[in-house]
Amino acid sequence: MKGWTASDIPDQTGRTAVVTGANSGIGYITARELARHGAQVVLACRSEARGAEAAERIRAQVPGADVRVAPLDLADLKSVRAFAAEHKGDRLDLLINNAGVMALPYRRTADGFEMQFGVNHLGHFALTGLLLPKLLEAGPGARVVSVSSFMHMLGTVDPRDLNMERKYGRWTAYARSKTANLLFVHELSRRLRASDTRLTAAAAHPGYASTNIATAAPKLEGRRGTQRFMEIGNRFFAQSPDNGALPTLYAATAPDVHQDDFFGPPFGMWRGTPTRSARAKWTRDDKAGRGLWAASERLTGVRYDALAG
């Protein structure tokens, strides 16, 4: 693993990947590098126009890249179900749950969920469950990779207030959604082991990478001072999106990835090539994982009937 780079990605010829939020940042790099190594990649993007632009950039950088765009709005379960229905006949080897929002003012998804919890966790929970049959059919090497954050260290999931209706804090909500990502992978891994499948669930985080996720909320709200502060941080302290994508790519393709692994940069969890990452003890709590799973099934209406409970 030491010094691992994108050039170390094994041949992905014959494999199909879905990457959510693939039009920019970590998702774009992930999609590009999977395509560079032979995978057919579906860019699952909220904006078809931005997705199409990203696909053209990938084709320009990787001649012959097999990429296509499909609409997916993780803030709307109807869109998630439509995406899954559209791809129910396709092969699927890799599902990269990458898309996310960060530190937004309080707002709700189309289904009434707090936006960060709804997009970062529930949307991906539903998507994974709906695509699970295709992943299970793919055979050895099939994987689900969820992108979390070192910020998960700042917040546990409160099962009594999943939508943070009692007291909302934008950064607390973000941290809880990233903890939810890890609890999801932990419980999914447990169920995959119990069901004796060849599908692997793992997680990754980019450290501090220079992407637009940090500036999106202040830009949306017109908080120019905060936006400028984030831009300065991206410029002087963050690592590049290319390096930030390496933990995700490692989790998706490296041969030594096991159930419930978590990869990220080694230096202060901010920078560097991928390694197994530290994580908060509450992200390995079996009771919390089962509780979040049950709540997620109830809220989304998506059940993982193919797996043992």
Side-chain angles (χ1 to χ4, degrees):
M1 180 182 312
K2 185 176 181 181
W4 194 89
T5 70
S7 64
D8 296 308
I9 295 172
D11 183 24
Q12 300 296 300
T13 301
R15 292 163 67 77
T16 300
V18 167
V19 182
T20 68
N23 58 281
S24 65
I26 303 303
Y28 173 81
I29 303 300
T30 300
R32 185 192 69 194
E33 294 307 313
L34 290 173
R36 190 189 303 278
H37 287 82
Q40 179 188 73
V41 184
V42 178
L43 281 60
C45 305
R46 184 170 58 88
S47 167
E48 285 191 83
R50 288 195 292 270
E53 291 170 1
E56 287 305 309
R57 293 200 309 273
I58 291 174
R59 294 187 187 106
Q61 294 175 319
V62 184
D66 188 351
V67 295
R68 56 192 175 95
V69 181
L72 173 65
D73 184 355
L74 290 160
D76 186 344
L77 291 178
K78 287 183 180 179
S79 175
V80 175
R81 290 183 181 277
F83 177 93
E86 182 70 21
H87 294 83
K88 65 181 180 180
D90 299 342
R91 178 187 178 95
L92 181 58
D93 301 90
L94 298 172
L95 173 59
I96 313 296
N97 291 325
N98 163 82
V101 293
M102 184 173 79
L104 297 177
Y106 191 86
R107 55 186 57 197
R108 292 180 180 269
T109 69
D111 304 280
F113 310 130
E114 185 276 313
M115 184 66 72
Q116 297 189 76
F117 181 66
V119 170
N120 298 353
H121 169 62
L122 290 175
H124 281 127
F125 178 91
L127 179 67
T128 305
L130 293 167
L131 294 177
L132 183 65
K134 304 308 301 180
L135 289 161
L136 293 174
E137 288 175 9
R143 294 181 191 175
V144 175
V145 178
S146 292
V147 179
S148 182
S149 167
F150 64 82
M151 291 285 288
H152 82 272
M153 296 277 192
L154 301 182
T156 63
V157 172
D158 182 353
R160 301 163 301 177
D161 190 21
L162 292 174
N163 286 301
M164 294 194 70
E165 294 171 322
R166 298 177 185 176
K167 182 180 180 182
Y168 182 74
R170 64 180 71 207
W171 287 105
T172 300
Y174 179 69
R176 288 181 177 182
S177 75
K178 296 290 104 177
T179 281
N181 293 152
L182 288 173
L183 279 172
F184 166 62
V185 168
H186 179 68
E187 177 63 11
L188 177 57
S189 294
R190 186 189 70 78
R191 290 170 181 250
L192 290 170
R193 289 191 196 101
S195 303
D196 194 27
T197 74
R198 293 178 290 184
L199 175 64
T200 299
H205 75 90
Y208 184 7
S210 179
T211 70
N212 62 10
I213 192 172
T215 58
K219 184 176 182 180
L220 178 68
E221 297 175 85
R223 295 185 291 128
R224 295 184 179 179
T226 302
Q227 180 182 345
R228 180 59 177 158
F229 177 79
M230 293 297 188
E231 290 171 346
I232 291 170
N234 278 352
R235 181 176 179 182
F236 292 105
F237 300 103
Q239 61 179 355
S240 69
D242 291 72
N243 286 340
L246 290 179
T248 300
L249 288 164
Y250 191 96
T253 67
D256 62 339
V257 175
H258 307 294
Q259 295 288 13
D260 206 21
D261 271 349
F262 182 39
F263 299 97
F267 301 113
M269 299 182 74
W270 276 32
R271 305 174 67 91
T273 54
T275 188
R276 283 182 171 81
S277 181
R279 61 194 285 181
K281 63 181 181 181
W282 54 75
T283 67
R284 294 188 187 274
D285 185 317
D286 290 345
K287 182 178 179 181
R290 287 193 295 268
L292 179 63
W293 189 280
S296 300
E297 286 191 331
R298 174 174 53 81
L299 292 169
T300 64
V302 175
R303 296 184 58 85
Y304 286 58
D305 291 331
L307 300 183

